[in-house]
Structure formats: C-alpha cells, structure tokens
Amino acid sequence: MISEFLRQWHIEGLTVGLATFLIIGIFHPVVIKCHYYFGTGCRWWFVVLGIIMCGVSLAVDDTVGSILAGVVAFSSFWTVKEIVEQEERVRKGWFPANPRRLSRDEAARKQQPKQQRR
C-alpha cells in the first residue's frame, strides 16, 4: 500500500534517500553511546543485527522495505568498525571515557603483578 503510493507519486528514490540519511544519522550517536556504556564488546550485537537485517532484506517482497533493511544491515556492519575506532578516539581524549567502566589497558595493568608494572 505504501509502496504503491510512493510509486504513484514517483517518490521512491527520495523516500529511500531520506530514510538512508536518517538511518546513518541515528547510527552515529548509537556508536558513541554503546561504546561509552558497553565498550568494544557490543560490536557483536551489530554483527548479529546486520546478519538479521540481511535476511530481512532478502525475505521482504517490497522493494523500498528491502532496500531499507539492506541499509540498516550495512550500517550495522559499518558500526562494528566505528566502535573499534571509537576506542581509539576515546584513548586520544576526543570523547569522554566512562569512569565506571575500566578500559582494557587499565584492567590488564591491574592484573599484572606489581613487579612488572614499572
């Protein structure tokens, strides 16, 4: 029904473009928040989401719905890379670190015997 309306008014391309813009825009703060609260371990959530959305894209008959599911899928895969890079941005001080969550370096340093810390 919605696809027929979009097709009738010749706005499928504009709709997909706008939705893609919004999806990508939503993923940027999601990267920052997920890294802040969960660290790099949450990247696997986005791998799973990407795989699921690839399946949805293949299963949906509607062209616009299939395209948007594909956009979410590959935005999720891109987020995996961005979360790893966010770790580096936090290390450089460009973004705040979560004081409640120890970074990997701090956790590893605390596990080393005191003799090796020097």
Side-chain angles (χ1 to χ4, degrees), residues 27 30-31 34 39-56 69-84:
F27 271 88
V30 166
V31 167
C34 283
T40 56
C42 67
R43 68 187 182 271
W44 297 108
W45 303 346
F46 294 100
V47 170
V48 171
L49 177 62
I51 291 169
I52 290 170
M53 292 309 289
C54 280
V56 169
V71 169
V72 171
F74 284 91
S75 294
S76 297
F77 294 142
W78 186 264
T79 298
V80 172
K81 172 190 165 298
E82 285 297 317
I83 286 180
V84 172

Side-chain angles (χ1 to χ4, degrees), residues 61-110:
D61 288 333
D62 180 57
T63 303
V64 173
S66 177
I67 291 168
L68 294 180
V71 169
V72 171
F74 284 91
S75 294
S76 297
F77 294 142
W78 186 264
T79 298
V80 172
K81 172 190 165 298
E82 285 297 317
I83 286 180
V84 172
E85 290 181 1
Q86 182 69 12
E87 181 80 14
E88 181 67 18
R89 292 188 284 263
V90 168
R91 191 187 62 73
K92 289 179 178 179
W94 297 351
F95 287 88
N98 186 344
R100 294 185 200 164
R101 189 178 50 80
L102 291 175
S103 71
R104 285 189 207 177
D105 296 337
E106 290 174 358
R109 188 174 54 84
K110 286 188 175 187

Side-chain angles (χ1 to χ4, degrees), residues 15-35:
T15 303
V16 168
L18 176 63
T20 300
F21 177 75
L22 294 174
I23 290 167
I24 292 169
I26 289 169
F27 271 88
H28 282 287
V30 166
V31 167
I32 295 165
K33 292 295 183 184
C34 283
H35 180 270

